């Protein structure tokens, strides 16, 4: 086999010039060297750069192995292909070498420790076998070495003799070939050894690379977390703190008087407003009884003759006193008891009566007087409370005379048992031997009166002096200012109460969607006709039928006359103040002494912007007018 000798050349490293950029400026293309700008490094910039350039700028240790192996391969047949294979193998292994160099070193140290341990173990085993074994072995090995040396010496002497006969050139060729052969053998052996070493190193590098990549990734994650996590934790902390703060604020609010301004959570008990409405209903029933019995009822607080509603005042005082530090909106037995206590302090009736001497007219002498009520037992087919004069009968006011032989004319005022009555009704009294019949609201009161023989006087005139009982009742509807004036609160409590009452009243009211709907529909009725006979026909209304039909369309059923609508709202504690008017609210008026509830004779619908819609009269029909505040009985919101 003929071997070509290739001249050894030193390894030449090729480097590329720096990248060039083609820069286009003002329509021309310029070529220039790329400028490198310094960029402020972040904590991760170093790690990012190492990861980015790990496959392009890896330093290879022990490159002599590659150079020598490639030279040895080229000097043998087919060496070029082997050399190329070495290049390819090393090209693939380069990216791993840098990343795994530390791992390989650890593996080699570990392997060295294992080999050392094996030698030590083998040495221990040899020592256990005994000294005689080692002596015999050494003797045998020495004899074998001497025998081989003698054989080699004999062979060499034979070769010299043979070479002497062949001549000097042949000896030189043989010596050259032996040298070449020895060099070739050494090179091949070294190459194969290096290849095996490369294979083992590649396997070691592959395993080490995986571990190193994991380790580098873990380091990367740690650095990312070290850089990003504080910011994330800061943001999370802010959000968490905000959430905790919101929860804390809500907890404080719902355990303070201001809880009433927020949607109250379901506590498993009644709503505080619902309970308070019930207390007002019971209170108003007592007022009705006084009015029906003829008592003159007046209110401590009124505005333009209209009673002031103190619903919100009572609610706020309760929240102030019992909403500090605990949930006052929880209407358990204790809550109801506390609310009733505050209610009674701010809503009470002071009844008062006095007898005064007054000038009256002539005496009618002793007369027989009975009593009746608007029930069917007393009035038969006329059991509707409407008198012969067309007015509604009222207790301690209305009195009847015989229809065919009246003792006094209709409309006469008479004094009986210290009470002034007005003759407004008639009946078949003489048939039963009676002169007067006094009206009472309830049948049991008529039974208590029975039939009496008493002196009667004409109220107008100055002929006689009689004792006339002046009775009445004052409703103490205290406002929050009245409550503060009692010095029952501290200065701090007064300040908080002022803040509570200065809040927008609409927050305390129910949703105004129903009222807005009614107000909008009322505007569409402007221009319709007025008729009491056709009040339920399309296109025709009177004041009460307009209210009744519009609210019915909105889903709320009211009574059908103005006075009964007013009484219904009053009984349900739906009275509001003028300053709290919203679209859809009702305004009740009194233009005559008709004997009906609070003498209510008209009702209108507030539509906002200081305007109201109402069925005025037959000549005007349904009209839009400015809000009128004269002759108002009260304002009401018939929902919520």
């Amino acid at each position: 086999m003929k071997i070509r000798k290739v001249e050894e050349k030193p390894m030449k490293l090729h480097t590329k010039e720096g990248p060039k950029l083609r820069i286009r400026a003002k329509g021309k293309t310029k070529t220039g060297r790329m400028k490198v700008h310094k960029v402020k490094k972040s904590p991760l910039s170093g790690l990012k750069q190492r990861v980015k350039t790990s496959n392009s700028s890896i330093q290879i240790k022990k490159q002599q192995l590659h150079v020598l192996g490639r030279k040895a391969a080229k000097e043998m047949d087919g060496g070029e292909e082997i050399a190329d294979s070495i290049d390819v193998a090393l090209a693939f292994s380069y990216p791993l070498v840098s990343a795994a160099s530390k791992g390989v070193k650890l593996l080699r140290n570990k392997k060295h420790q294992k080999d050392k341990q094996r030698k030590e173990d083998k040495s221990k085993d040899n020592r256990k076998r005994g000294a005689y074994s080692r002596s015999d072995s050494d003797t045998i090995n020495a004899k074998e070495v001497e025998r081989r040396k003698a054989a080699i010496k004999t062979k060499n002497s034979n070769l010299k003799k043979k070479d002497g006969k062949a001549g000097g050139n042949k000896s030189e060729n043989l010596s050259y070939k032996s040298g070449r052969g020895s060099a070739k053998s050494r090179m091949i052996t070294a190459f194969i050894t290096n290849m095996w070493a490369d294979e083992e190193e590649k396997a070691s590098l592959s395993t080490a690379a995986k571990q190193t990549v994991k380790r580098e990734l873990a380091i990367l994650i740690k650095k990312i977390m070290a850089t990003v996590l504080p910011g994330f934790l800061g943001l999370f902390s802010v959000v968490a703190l905000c959430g905790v703060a919101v929860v804390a604020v809500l907890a404080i609010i719902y355990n303070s008087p201001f809880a009433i301004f927020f949607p109250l959570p379901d506590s498993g008990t009644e709503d505080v407003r619902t309970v308070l409405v019930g207390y007002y209903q019971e209170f108003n029933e007592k007022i009705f009884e006084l009015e029906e019995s003829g008592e003159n009822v007046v209110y401590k607080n009124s505005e333009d003759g209209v009673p002031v509603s103190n619903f919100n005042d009572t609610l706020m005082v309760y929240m102030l006193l019992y909403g500090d530090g605990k949930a006052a909106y929880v209407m358990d037995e204790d809550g109801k008891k506390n609310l009733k206590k505050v209610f009674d302090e701010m809503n009470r009736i002071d009844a008062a009566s006095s007898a005064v001497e007054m000038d009256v007219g002539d005496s009618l002498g002793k007369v027989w007087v009975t009593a009746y009520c608007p029930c069917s037992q007393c009035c038969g087919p006329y059991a509707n409370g409407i008198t012969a004069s067309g007015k509604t009968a009222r207790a301690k006011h209305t009195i009847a005379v015989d229809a065919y032989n009246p003792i006094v004319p209709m409309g006469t005022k008479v004094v009986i048992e210290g009470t002034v009555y007005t003759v407004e009704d008639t009946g078949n009294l003489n048939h039963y031997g009676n002169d007067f019949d006094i009206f009472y609201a309830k049948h049991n009161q008529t039974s208590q009166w029975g039939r009496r023989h008493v002196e009667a006087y004409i109220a107008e005139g100055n002929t006689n002096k009689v004792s006339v009982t002046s009775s009445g009742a004052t409703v103490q509807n205290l406002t929050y200012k009245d409550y503060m004036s009692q010095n029952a609160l501290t200065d701090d409590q007064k300040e908080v109460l002022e803040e509570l009452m200065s809040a927008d009243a609409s927050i305390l009211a129910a949703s105004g969607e129903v009222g807005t709907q009614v107000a909008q529909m009322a505007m569409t009725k402007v221009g319709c006709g007025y008729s009491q006979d056709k009040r339920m026909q399309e296109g025709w209304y009177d004041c009460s039928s307009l209210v009744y039909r519009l609210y019915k369309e909105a889903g709320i059923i009211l009574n059908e006359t103005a006075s009964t609508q007013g009484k219904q709202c009053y009984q349900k504690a739906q009275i509001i103040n003028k300053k709290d008017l919203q679209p859809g609210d009702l305004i009740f008026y009194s233009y005559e002494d008709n004997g009906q509830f609070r003498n209510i004779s008209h009702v209108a619908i507030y539509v906002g912007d200081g305007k109201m819609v109402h069925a005025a009269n037959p000549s005007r029909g349904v009209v839009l007018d400015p809000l009128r505040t004269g002759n108002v009985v009260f304002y009401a919101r018939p929902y919520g």
Side-chain angles (χ1 to χ4, degrees):
M1 178 177 65
K2 187 175 180 181
I3 299 175
R4 294 184 301 166
K5 183 176 180 181
V6 179
E7 182 180 359
E8 295 182 4
K9 296 180 181 180
M11 181 176 65
K12 184 177 181 181
L13 299 178
H14 300 275
T15 58
K16 293 184 179 181
E17 295 181 356
K20 296 182 179 180
L21 296 178
R22 301 183 69 81
I23 304 173
R24 185 181 299 276
K26 297 182 180 181
K28 297 181 180 181
T29 301
K30 298 181 179 180
T31 303
R33 190 68 71 179
M34 180 177 67
K35 294 183 179 180
V36 179
H37 299 276
K38 292 185 179 180
V39 180
K40 186 177 179 180
K41 294 185 178 180
S42 67
L44 296 177
S45 59
L47 180 60
K48 292 179 180 177
Q49 185 64 23
R50 290 202 304 273
V51 173
K52 183 176 180 181
T53 61
S54 61
N55 293 330
S56 59
S57 60
I58 298 176
Q59 295 180 355
I60 305 300
K61 294 183 179 181
K62 298 184 179 180
Q63 292 185 351
Q64 293 84 355
L65 176 64
H66 166 52
V67 176
L68 294 176
R70 203 173 192 284
K71 287 180 179 180
K74 285 187 175 182
E75 292 179 359
M76 60 187 297
D77 291 337
E80 292 294 336
E81 290 79 3
I82 296 175
D84 293 339
S85 298
I86 294 173
D87 291 338
V88 173
L90 289 175
F92 279 106
S93 66
Y94 284 170
L96 298 175
V97 172
S98 178
S101 59
K102 294 181 181 180
V104 172
K105 185 176 181 180
L106 292 174
L107 290 173
R108 286 178 175 173
N109 291 337
K110 188 174 181 180
K111 183 178 180 182
H112 175 70
Q113 292 175 358
K114 288 183 178 180
D115 293 340
K116 184 177 180 181
Q117 185 65 32
R118 282 197 298 269
K119 289 180 180 180
E120 290 178 357
D121 293 341
K122 186 174 182 180
S123 177
K124 290 179 181 180
D125 292 339
N126 292 334
R127 285 195 298 269
K128 289 180 181 180
R129 292 176 182 176
Y132 67 93
S133 298
R134 290 197 298 274
S135 303
D136 294 342
S137 177
D138 292 341
T139 303
I140 294 171
N141 291 336
K143 291 180 178 180
E144 181 65 21
V145 170
E146 291 296 332
R147 185 184 66 77
R148 291 179 180 178
K149 285 182 178 180
I152 292 173
K153 187 175 180 180
T154 303
K155 185 176 181 180
N156 288 337
S157 62
N158 294 332
L159 288 173
K160 285 181 179 180
K161 292 178 180 180
K162 188 176 181 180
D163 291 340
K165 295 178 179 180
N169 291 335
K170 188 175 181 180
S171 175
E172 291 177 1
N173 291 337
L174 179 61
S175 176
Y176 173 76
K177 290 182 180 180
S178 297
R180 286 288 307 273
S182 298
K184 177 180 177 181
S185 177
R186 287 194 302 272
M187 293 174 64
I188 292 174
T189 302
F191 170 74
I192 294 173
T193 302
N194 289 335
M195 286 296 292
W196 279 106
D198 288 344
E199 292 297 330
E200 291 179 357
E201 186 174 357
K202 288 176 185 178
S204 299
L205 289 175
S206 178
T207 303
K210 293 179 181 179
Q211 296 177 353
T212 305
V213 169
K214 290 181 180 180
R215 186 167 58 254
E216 292 290 339
L217 182 60
I219 294 173
L220 175 63
I221 293 174
K222 287 181 180 179
K223 290 192 175 183
I224 291 175
M225 295 299 286
T227 304
V228 178
L229 188 59
F232 174 77
L233 290 177
L235 178 61
F236 179 78
S237 300
V238 171
V239 174
L241 288 175
C242 290
V244 172
V246 170
V247 172
V249 169
L250 289 177
I252 293 172
I253 289 175
Y254 275 103
N255 284 276
S256 73
F258 294 93
I260 199 66
F261 293 98
F262 292 81
L264 299 180
D266 185 6
S267 61
T269 60
E270 294 180 86
D271 184 88
V272 59
R273 296 185 183 90
T274 303
V275 176
L276 186 58
V277 166
Y279 293 156
Y280 271 97
Q281 290 177 345
E282 295 174 0
F283 183 74
N284 291 338
E285 285 293 335
K286 297 177 181 179
I287 297 176
F288 294 154
E289 292 177 0
L290 291 173
E291 290 178 337
E292 289 174 351
S293 64
E295 297 287 347
N296 183 30
V297 178
V298 295
Y299 288 80
K300 172 180 173 59
N301 290 295
S302 60
E303 183 180 357
D304 297 330
V306 179
V308 170
S309 171
N310 68 342
F311 185 95
N312 288 345
D313 302 69
T314 303
L315 182 61
M316 291 299 104
V317 171
Y318 166 72
M319 293 300 298
L320 173 69
L321 296 178
Y322 298 97
D324 187 9
K326 61 181 179 179
Y329 58 84
V330 178
M331 285 290 99
D332 52 14
E333 292 302 319
D334 290 337
K336 291 181 180 180
K337 186 185 299 182
N338 294 331
L339 180 58
K340 187 63 165 63
K341 179 182 177 181
V342 174
F343 178 85
D344 291 340
E345 290 175 352
M346 300 187 65
N347 298 272
R348 65 180 187 273
I349 301 172
D350 292 339
S353 61
S354 61
V356 296
E357 292 289 330
M358 63 176 293
D359 293 330
V360 296
D362 296 335
S363 172
L364 296 176
K366 292 283 186 173
V367 293
W368 289 99
V369 182
T370 55
Y372 76 106
C373 74
C375 70
S376 59
Q377 183 178 349
C378 295
C379 298
Y382 304 102
N384 54 11
I386 304 301
T387 64
S389 63
K391 296 181 180 181
T392 300
R394 289 186 294 164
K396 290 190 176 182
H397 173 80
T398 300
I399 194 171
V401 294
D402 186 78
Y404 307 102
N405 185 26
I407 190 172
V408 293
M410 189 77 76
T412 303
K413 294 182 182 296
V414 297
V415 178
I416 299 175
E417 293 286 288
T419 301
V420 179
Y421 295 97
T422 301
V423 178
E424 295 178 335
D425 205 359
T426 61
N428 191 11
L429 303 182
N430 290 161
H431 177 72
Y432 299 99
N434 299 322
D435 299 304
F436 291 103
D437 211 0
I438 298 174
F439 179 83
Y440 282 92
K442 296 180 180 180
H443 190 75
N444 65 336
Q445 294 174 327
T446 65
S447 301
Q448 291 176 0
W449 175 267
R451 187 172 183 262
R452 301 180 186 181
H453 197 217
V454 295
E455 188 172 7
Y457 299 89
I458 301 297
E460 286 101 356
N462 55 5
T463 304
N464 297 288
K465 283 186 178 290
V466 297
S467 177
V468 176
T469 301
S470 175
S471 63
T474 301
V475 177
Q476 301 289 340
N477 55 333
L478 303 186
T479 64
Y480 78 97
K481 291 185 177 180
D482 295 328
Y483 194 86
M484 288 194 301
S485 66
Q486 297 177 355
N487 296 322
L489 302 176
T490 65
D491 291 340
D492 291 339
Q493 287 177 323
K494 290 179 181 179
E495 183 178 353
V496 173
L497 185 56
E498 288 282 2
E499 293 178 359
L500 291 171
M501 291 304 301
S502 64
D504 189 354
S506 62
I507 299 177
L508 300 174
S511 172
E513 293 180 1
V514 173
T516 301
Q517 181 182 353
V518 170
Q520 291 173 347
M521 290 189 296
M523 293 295 294
T524 66
K525 306 304 179 184
V526 174
C528 291
Y530 180 99
S531 174
Q532 290 187 340
D533 295 335
K534 302 176 182 179
R535 62 195 301 268
M536 292 300 178
Q537 296 180 19
E538 186 61 33
W540 297 92
Y541 300 92
D542 65 0
C543 67
S544 56
S545 65
L546 179 65
V547 171
Y548 170 80
R549 289 164 65 179
L550 293 182
Y551 265 96
K552 183 179 180 181
E553 190 169 345
I556 297 177
I557 303 300
L558 299 177
N559 294 329
E560 295 186 10
T561 64
S563 61
T564 56
Q565 288 169 354
K567 186 175 183 179
Q568 181 179 1
C569 292
Y570 193 87
Q571 285 177 321
K572 292 185 176 181
Q574 295 171 336
I575 307 305
I576 62 171
N577 295 321
K578 177 185 174 182
K579 64 183 181 63
D580 300 327
L581 277 174
Q582 294 181 0
D585 292 342
L586 302 180
I587 310 109
F588 292 94
Y589 296 91
S590 175
Y591 294 112
E592 59 182 351
D593 186 4
N594 60 10
Q596 300 183 24
F597 178 74
R598 303 287 175 88
N599 291 317
I600 292 174
S601 58
H602 189 65
V603 62
I605 301 172
Y606 183 71
V607 294
D609 296 326
K611 302 291 180 61
M612 68 179 191
V613 170
H614 63 128
N617 50 52
S619 61
R620 299 184 66 206
V622 180
V623 293
L624 175 67
D625 281 339
L627 175 64
R628 298 176 182 175
T629 57
N631 299 99
V632 174
V633 179
F634 53 73
Y635 307 93
R637 182 173 298 143
Y639 59 89

